[in-house]
Amino acid sequence: MDAHAFDRAIKLTAGGEAGHWRGQTDPAYANMVGPYGGITAATALQAISQHPDRIGDPVSLTVNYCAALADGAFALTARPVRTNRSTQHWLVDIEQGGETVLTGTALTALRRETWGTQDEPAPRVLSPNAIGKPNMAALVEWVKRYDIRIVEGAIPRVWDGSGEHSRTTLWVRDEPPRALDFASLASMCDVFFPRVWLRRATRVPAGTVSMTIYFHVGQAELAAVGEGWLLGQAQSSVMRNGYFDQRGQLWSQAGALLATTHQVVYYKE
């Protein structure tokens, strides 16, 4: 059976020393410039997941996009900088052409059974089937790798400066469907188009500078989701002086909050 496009895109080969990897960008996840940022973040997490010294599951991941990753080969390094009894701290970077294009940090941990609660309920919205076929315009290639059904806050049909809010709510899953894991969850945290496009209804150049993802579940909860839908919501708090923030959440169809994410995004006049 052929590998899923997502697995081909994040595939890494050992580069000799432990934690050193080689990868190749995949045109299936191409963005306007270079690959989709979500697939690059997923690739960084994949390097950590494959490290022979890793303990536990991802709790957080931060990636800083220092420069656009060009189409072609790249080198990736992931190394643990501190390992405690149940937590492990990581540094990761991607180099291409002798220059650093991404830096990152991560935390993995052995999760313990404790008391817990969820104060952020999933929005009450129409089901994916009720919305119907995918309704996010495939302006770039990577969008075709997801089944995205927007409930509210679609890309403006007319770029006339008449935007009133920055919130988008949508359903998403891999296309074709694929069982959820930490790498694909990380990638789907970046499926939201730039908030400035919605709030301003003006299509200006924009790109993520830094993205942090917090994972709130372990392997068992991801296995329960399987190939099911995720419900996502994202909005901005402020847009000023060429940068805006974006905060987002991803829930399972059963209403479990799987991940929250925060971005800083550059936009250009």
Side-chain angles (χ1 to χ4, degrees), residues 158-229:
V158 179
W159 303 99
D160 60 0
S162 62
E164 296 181 350
H165 66 88
S166 66
R167 189 175 71 191
T168 290
T169 305
L170 54 76
W171 291 102
V172 61
R173 65 179 177 182
D174 286 294
E175 177 57 41
R178 175 187 179 277
L180 188 68
D181 56 22
F182 285 108
S184 59
L185 179 57
S187 182
M188 281 188 267
C189 281
D190 196 36
V191 298
F192 305 96
F193 62 88
R195 301 295 84 205
V196 69
W197 289 5
L198 180 59
R199 177 63 181 84
R200 194 176 177 190
T202 301
R203 191 175 172 184
V204 298
T208 301
V209 179
S210 182
M211 176 170 67
T212 295
I213 300 166
Y214 300 106
F215 302 95
H216 304 301
V217 292
Q219 296 283 358
E221 292 90 348
L222 293 185
V225 174
E227 296 181 354
W229 293 92

Side-chain angles (χ1 to χ4, degrees), residues 55-230:
I55 65 168
D57 293 330
V59 175
S60 68
L61 171 71
T62 295
V63 289
N64 305 302
Y65 300 96
C66 307
L69 188 62
D71 294 334
F74 58 84
L76 194 157
T77 303
R79 63 185 180 93
V81 293
R82 170 114 187 191
T83 301
N84 302 315
R85 286 197 304 173
S86 62
T87 62
Q88 196 169 42
H89 299 264
W90 293 84
L91 291 179
V92 59
D93 66 78
I94 295 178
E95 291 189 359
Q96 192 176 53
E99 294 186 337
T100 300
V101 295
L102 178 143
T103 64
T105 60
L107 170 68
T108 60
L110 297 169
R111 293 182 181 270
R112 310 295 188 189
E113 285 292 332
T114 66
W115 175 88
T117 188
Q118 179 178 315
D119 283 346
E120 189 79 33
R124 294 182 177 272
V125 299
L126 292 173
S127 70
N129 289 337
I131 295 170
K133 63 182 181 180
N135 59 1
M136 180 167 167
L139 301 175
V140 287
E141 188 64 26
W142 72 263
V143 176
K144 300 175 185 177
R145 308 286 83 80
Y146 295 98
D147 187 337
I148 299 174
R149 306 189 182 192
I150 297 178
V151 179
E152 63 167 338
I155 295 175
R157 293 180 179 273
V158 179
W159 303 99
D160 60 0
S162 62
E164 296 181 350
H165 66 88
S166 66
R167 189 175 71 191
T168 290
T169 305
L170 54 76
W171 291 102
V172 61
R173 65 179 177 182
D174 286 294
E175 177 57 41
R178 175 187 179 277
L180 188 68
D181 56 22
F182 285 108
S184 59
L185 179 57
S187 182
M188 281 188 267
C189 281
D190 196 36
V191 298
F192 305 96
F193 62 88
R195 301 295 84 205
V196 69
W197 289 5
L198 180 59
R199 177 63 181 84
R200 194 176 177 190
T202 301
R203 191 175 172 184
V204 298
T208 301
V209 179
S210 182
M211 176 170 67
T212 295
I213 300 166
Y214 300 106
F215 302 95
H216 304 301
V217 292
Q219 296 283 358
E221 292 90 348
L222 293 185
V225 174
E227 296 181 354
W229 293 92
L230 302 189

